[in-house]
Amino acid sequence: MKKITFLALGCLMVGGCIPLMIGAGVLTGYALSGDSASGNVKSGYRTVWDACLDTLEEMEAEIVTANESKGLIRANISEYNLAVRINMISPNDQRLKVSARRYLLPKPHFAQKVFLGIMDNF
């Protein structure tokens, strides 16, 4: 019975179904749905904005539009269209959402890759 329990927990962790805790409480967890990966970040707005731009630059993304006051970045990486949205919950809590599509089809795993890349910059 213990082996089955550990196997089931291992599958959930590898499959990405359990919200991840990254850093010292920087991210409260993330969700993967539709064409996006999203989560709450315990950091200032400007810090999150800079981390998003740095990550996209590291991934050699072509920034189509970047509007800091609206918290929206649209970019292209290879054939993927990305939309990064930052919504302020409080001065030290931000809601980060990364959406990815390729040929108009949702690509949540690529959105997850970009989202986790942004979190690695913290």
Side-chain angles (χ1 to χ4, degrees), residues 22-42:
I22 299 175
V26 172
L27 179 68
T28 59
Y30 75 94
L32 187 62
S33 65
D35 66 344
S36 65
S38 61
N40 295 339
V41 182
K42 292 185 185 273

Side-chain angles (χ1 to χ4, degrees), residues 27 30 37-39 96 98 110-119:
L27 179 68
Y30 75 94
S38 61
L96 176 64
V98 179
F110 190 75
Q112 179 183 26
K113 177 182 173 183
V114 174
F115 181 86
L116 293 175
I118 293 169
M119 291 297 101

Side-chain angles (χ1 to χ4, degrees), residues 34-66:
D35 66 344
S36 65
S38 61
N40 295 339
V41 182
K42 292 185 185 273
S43 187
Y45 181 86
R46 184 62 190 198
T47 305
V48 176
W49 178 264
D50 290 340
C52 291
L53 288 178
D54 291 344
T55 301
L56 292 174
E57 185 177 302
E58 289 171 8
M59 297 178 89
E60 299 178 1
E62 174 191 349
I63 306 292
V64 177
T65 59

